[in-house]
Amino acid sequence: MAKYKVWKCGLCGEQVIEGQRFLVIKNIGFAHLECVVEELVKKHPNISRDALSLIEANEAITYAIVRLKTAELQAQSDTQRSMISAARKDLEKHSAFLGNELGKLLGYA
């Protein structure tokens, strides 16, 4: 069984545990999904559907990344592990892009 990674939420200061609903946002770092939504609503009471769609998309990608890490650990062959790792790294790039956009909406970029 793999040990989950733990980070500090850049918004509330509490632990973010790999597998929880979290996002990675430029100039904030790791943040609970709920903290990001709360911050967006605080700064933008009439939150746009665009902002909500960015959050939804990034959460889906983050969840997929965590699942791919699990699959990597379970793979028996180096070939399978390598293919899964490549897919995970590709998703990490997309997550970073969306995180940067969320950072802009929050005023952190």
Side-chain angles (χ1 to χ4, degrees):
M1 181 76 157
K3 185 176 179 183
Y4 290 106
K5 292 181 182 178
V6 178
W7 305 277
K8 182 179 176 182
C9 178
L11 294 173
C12 76
E14 297 293 323
Q15 284 187 338
V16 175
I17 302 170
E18 190 173 35
Q20 286 182 322
R21 297 171 64 185
F22 71 93
L23 304 172
V24 181
I25 299 174
K26 185 177 183 176
N27 297 326
I28 294 174
F30 293 88
H32 299 106
L33 175 72
E34 293 79 8
C35 294
V36 173
V37 172
E38 184 178 321
E39 187 76 8
L40 266 173
V41 169
K42 201 182 314 176
K43 290 187 173 192
H44 306 282
N46 297 320
I47 189 168
S48 72
R49 290 175 57 136
D50 287 342
L52 292 172
S53 69
L54 277 176
I55 290 170
E56 183 74 23
N58 204 353
E59 182 198 6
I61 291 172
T62 302
Y63 180 74
I65 290 166
V66 171
R67 294 300 308 258
L68 285 170
K69 284 182 179 182
T70 301
E72 255 180 275
L73 293 170
Q74 293 173 344
Q76 286 184 316
S77 72
D78 289 340
T79 302
Q80 287 300 108
R81 204 170 5 266
S82 179
M83 287 181 357
I84 294 167
S85 176
R88 175 184 53 79
K89 289 175 183 175
D90 190 45
L91 286 179
E92 287 172 348
K93 291 175 191 171
H94 294 291
S95 180
F97 173 75
L98 293 177
N100 288 342
E101 293 304 309
L102 275 171
K104 290 176 188 175
L105 281 175
L106 289 168
Y108 288 101

